[in-house]
Amino acid sequence: MEQLNYESVAVGNVLPAVTEGPITNIQLVKWAAGSGDFNAIHYDLNVAKQQGLENVLIQGPLKAALVNKLLMELCGQTGHIRRVKSTYSGMDIAGNTLTCTVTITGKYEENGARCVACTYIMTNQEGRTTVKGDAVLEL
């Protein structure tokens, strides 16, 4: 994903979708180790199956981290994320491929800073939205 250019971005622009995955069990174990989230439903298939799932769950904060990675790429080296808010609206399991789409909803200057507001959705390969939110990026 390329860094956003304040001058050329416009309200209503839908940025090219970014896809991650398929998310692997190894990624989930590494995230558990890094985050300290050792809930077995994220790495133990037997526990996941006991809960009626076909595979282990992808951690919600891992999905948020993937969104934040995309937003940081949009900010580039000189910008930063001013605010980000995510809502989890569905579960994803290991093996899912996640796609994030960002739409520009606002563009303004505040105290000399050039800001871009956006919304985003994350969908899985079935087209189900499992994360949605909004952010303000300072470019």
Side-chain angles (χ1 to χ4, degrees):
M1 178 65 57
E2 285 187 32
Q3 176 180 345
L4 287 180
N5 180 308
Y6 185 81
E7 287 77 23
S8 62
V9 71
V11 173
N13 286 159
V14 178
L15 305 180
V18 174
T19 300
E20 296 274 348
I23 305 299
T24 67
N25 291 52
I26 295 295
Q27 285 175 283
L28 301 181
V29 169
K30 287 179 179 179
W31 181 265
S35 68
D37 179 359
F38 292 105
N39 185 332
I41 202 160
H42 298 299
Y43 62 85
D44 187 324
L45 183 57
N46 290 327
V47 170
K49 287 192 174 196
Q50 287 172 356
Q51 298 296 315
L53 301 168
E54 62 183 271
N55 206 339
V56 294
L57 286 179
I58 298 173
Q59 297 95 332
L62 173 57
K63 296 191 293 185
L66 294 173
V67 169
N68 286 327
K69 175 185 167 197
L70 168 60
L71 295 174
M72 288 187 322
E73 289 173 1
L74 292 174
C75 289
Q77 295 292 320
T78 57
H80 65 272
I81 300 170
R82 276 192 162 194
R83 182 182 61 76
V84 64
K85 181 178 96 176
S86 294
T87 302
Y88 305 110
S89 55
M91 294 186 290
D92 285 296
I93 58 172
N96 279 11
T97 297
L98 305 174
T99 300
C100 190
T101 305
V102 176
T103 302
I104 305 302
T105 58
K107 178 178 169 179
Y108 57 94
E109 292 191 33
E110 182 178 275
N111 299 325
R114 300 182 313 174
C115 300
V116 172
C118 61
T119 59
Y120 54 86
I121 61 167
M122 179 177 277
T123 58
N124 60 25
Q125 71 279 356
E126 297 168 356
R128 254 182 326 128
T129 298
T130 61
V131 179
K132 56 187 170 184
D134 56 77
V136 174
L137 312 177
E138 185 174 320
L139 304 178

